[in-house]
Structure formats: structure tokens, C-alpha cells
Amino acid sequence: MDIKHLNCFLQVAEHQNFTKAARLLSITQSAVSYQISALEKELGFKLFARTPHVVRFTAQGRHFYYGIRDMMGFYANLVRQAQELEAGTTGELSIGILGHAGGDFLPRLLRGFRERHPQISLNVSQFDMVGLNSALEAGDIDVGLTLAISFGHRPDFETRRIQCEPLSLLVAEDHPLAGKAEPSFADLQGYPIVDVAREGAAPAKVFIAKACARLGFAPNVVQWVNDFDTLFLLVEAGVGLAVLPRYRAETHGNTRLKVTNLGGEDSAVDVILAWKREVVNPALPLLLEELDRMGLVG
């Protein structure tokens, strides 16, 4: 069924006049008559009873009008919503975040985005490294905020640098490095280290190993653990120290542990946004525009 025929029918039905319908549709009156006749032929019944001066509904035409009017209203609304989704002016954007990476900029970003795009729903979920990478791969989230060292190089993803996250040294309060004002990777030589063994943390392990290798030694990892609570416990027990992003180190909640930012080379890592190249939510460019306004896209 031709949508143009239906629109023509609605104009005639609402004005009960072929001439006025033709004028509103910017077509000739004969074209209106042709479209109505074609529609009636397709339907198998008359829509209007025509006289030289009056156009009136048939019983079938009136019944058809009320149904088609509602249907066309629904169709127009559906088209409008789809166009808004295409333009990114409505819909939703799912954001995955790695802990509190990136500091306090995320609340400012969300506030600014909501003010400019109130029709777009922002769904924010927190993940660990493994969970965030998996959610991005599966398409469960549109974009992820993570650390470059935990994400690694993925040719099927786009990334944008946001800012830096300082790396910190986490030690027990009685550790020899607890009182050092600005320790560096060079200070780690010879000290036992505890680290997280999860597969998703592999790029971070490589980063630390390379930082130590540039200084001529290998990190002395004495124990691998599966979660951060265990890592914090082992650091407190004096089993070893840990090198973590500042946001993660500060989650220990233990007064007997000391967190100090590393200094020197390799003392910070990039915070990035990452999303799949092939599937881009139309609202994502609007998020990047907001980041540009904040001066946070590198």
C-alpha cells in the first residue's frame, strides 16, 4: 500500500474536498482523484460518495479513516524517533568505567552532557579490567573509560586519550619505602612485589616489567593474587609492595597502608575512551564533543 495514497486519503477525508486536498499536497486535483481511485481499487471498496459539490464518507471509508489516522500518526512518530536516533539527539548511551580512573572529570562530563542532550539517557556501569574489556567486546556497552595499559592495542577499536592517571606505590606503614617522598621505579629494585594475576591485567604487568627493564632489572614478583582485597592484605602483612593506579590504591581503606605517587619516568598512565570501530552509537560523537568542550580529548 502506497504511503502517498494514504496521505492523500487523509487530506481528502479531513477536508471533505478534493480541491483543498490537492492544494495542500501541492498536486493537481486529477492527481488526487487518481490516487483515491487507486487506493479504492486496492482496498476493494469505495471510500467516498462523490457528487459535483460534496464529498462524503461511505460507511467503509469512515471506518477506514479512523483506523488509518491513528496508524499514520504512529508511523509519523516512529519515523521521527528513528530520525532522532540517527542524529543522536535521543536514545541512550551505555558507558563502562574502570573504577574511578580519570578522577573527578566524569561527573562534570555527565552533567554537561545531560544539560545539552536531555533526551539521551546515559547508563553508567562500573567494571574491573576484565569485565570492562569483555563488555566492550560483547557490545554490552557503547564506550569504555579505562587505562591504556589495561586495554592494550586492539585494531578493531577506536580510542581517545583523556588525561593521565598517576601510578602509586602501596606499602605497609613500616616498609623501608613508606617514608620516601617520591619513589620511582628505580627504588623497587630488590624489593618483593605482589600483583594481581587475572588475565585482563596482563598489559599492566607488561608495562611495569618494561619500566623496570629500562632501568636494568626485572620486578621481583613473589606472589600473584586473584583480587585486590587479598593484595591489600598481603601488602599489610609485609609480603611485598604493590604498584597500582592511584584510584585503585586509594580503595584499600586501611590506615596501616601508605599510598605515595611514583615520580620519574613511567610514573603515570593514560586514561582513554574506547569503542568498537564497526558499531558506533550516534550519541557517541556528542559525548566526544562534550569532552572537547572540557579540553579532555587528546
Side-chain angles (χ1 to χ4, degrees), residues 4-281:
K4 291 182 180 178
H5 291 174
L6 294 177
N7 279 325
C8 182
F9 165 70
L10 288 178
Q11 290 295 335
V12 175
E14 288 168 5
H15 299 289
Q16 296 290 292
N17 187 289
F18 276 52
T19 303
K20 188 170 184 178
R23 185 166 64 250
L24 292 170
L25 293 169
S26 299
I27 59 177
T28 64
Q29 185 172 333
S30 60
V32 170
S33 296
Y34 172 80
Q35 291 190 32
I36 296 299
S37 295
L39 182 58
E40 290 175 330
K41 183 177 180 180
E42 183 175 357
L43 294 171
F45 55 80
K46 289 290 185 181
L47 296 166
F48 300 106
R50 307 179 184 109
T51 67
H53 303 292
V54 179
V55 176
R56 297 187 187 280
F57 279 124
T58 61
Q60 304 95 312
R62 185 180 300 279
H63 177 76
F64 186 71
Y65 165 69
Y66 288 119
I68 286 297
R69 181 187 62 181
D70 294 342
M71 188 193 79
M72 292 296 286
F74 176 79
Y75 170 79
N77 190 51
L78 194 63
V79 170
R80 177 185 58 78
Q81 290 174 348
Q83 289 172 337
E84 289 175 349
L85 284 170
E86 175 66 21
T89 56
T90 189
E92 63 180 41
L93 186 67
S94 298
I95 304 173
I97 60 174
L98 181 62
H100 298 286
D104 65 352
F105 90 89
L106 187 59
R108 292 187 288 121
L109 170 65
L110 299 184
R111 179 183 293 274
F113 188 90
R114 289 184 185 280
E115 288 175 353
R116 288 180 175 82
H117 309 288
Q119 301 305 314
I120 299 177
S121 174
L122 289 178
N123 300 322
V124 182
S125 303
Q126 191 172 90
F127 295 87
D128 60 14
M129 290 181 182
V130 176
L132 191 144
N133 290 348
S134 296
L136 279 170
E137 290 283 359
D140 295 333
I141 55 176
D142 298 307
V143 60
L145 175 70
T146 185
L147 301 180
I149 60 170
S150 70
F151 194 69
H153 175 67
R154 297 167 183 247
D156 52 336
F157 278 84
E158 290 276 2
T159 62
R160 291 288 186 276
R161 178 184 179 276
I162 305 301
Q163 58 186 44
C164 286
E165 175 73 25
L167 289 177
S168 295
L169 181 68
L170 181 68
V171 296
E173 59 183 355
D174 59 349
H175 192 279
L177 295 177
K180 192 169 181 63
E182 196 174 74
S184 66
F185 273 103
D187 295 310
L188 305 186
Q189 186 169 5
Y191 285 109
I193 298 172
V194 292
D195 205 348
V196 177
R198 287 179 298 185
E199 182 181 351
K205 299 185 187 73
V206 172
F207 178 88
I208 293 173
K210 287 182 176 179
C212 293
R214 279 190 282 270
L215 296 167
F217 70 97
N220 180 26
V221 181
V222 295
Q223 190 165 340
W224 299 99
V225 298
N226 292 321
D227 59 84
F228 286 101
D229 287 338
T230 303
L231 182 142
F232 297 149
L233 175 63
L234 294 182
V235 171
E236 183 186 357
V239 176
L241 57 82
V243 176
L244 299 169
R246 179 81 189 195
Y247 81 87
R248 174 57 71 185
E250 289 179 336
T251 64
H252 64 79
N254 190 330
T255 57
R256 293 179 295 278
L257 296 178
K258 183 173 177 58
V259 178
T260 308
N261 282 355
L262 289 174
E265 189 177 3
D266 299 317
S267 61
V269 293
D270 287 339
V271 178
I272 62 170
L273 281 180
W275 64 93
K276 276 190 173 180
R277 291 180 187 271
E278 297 176 358
V279 183
V280 179
N281 188 316

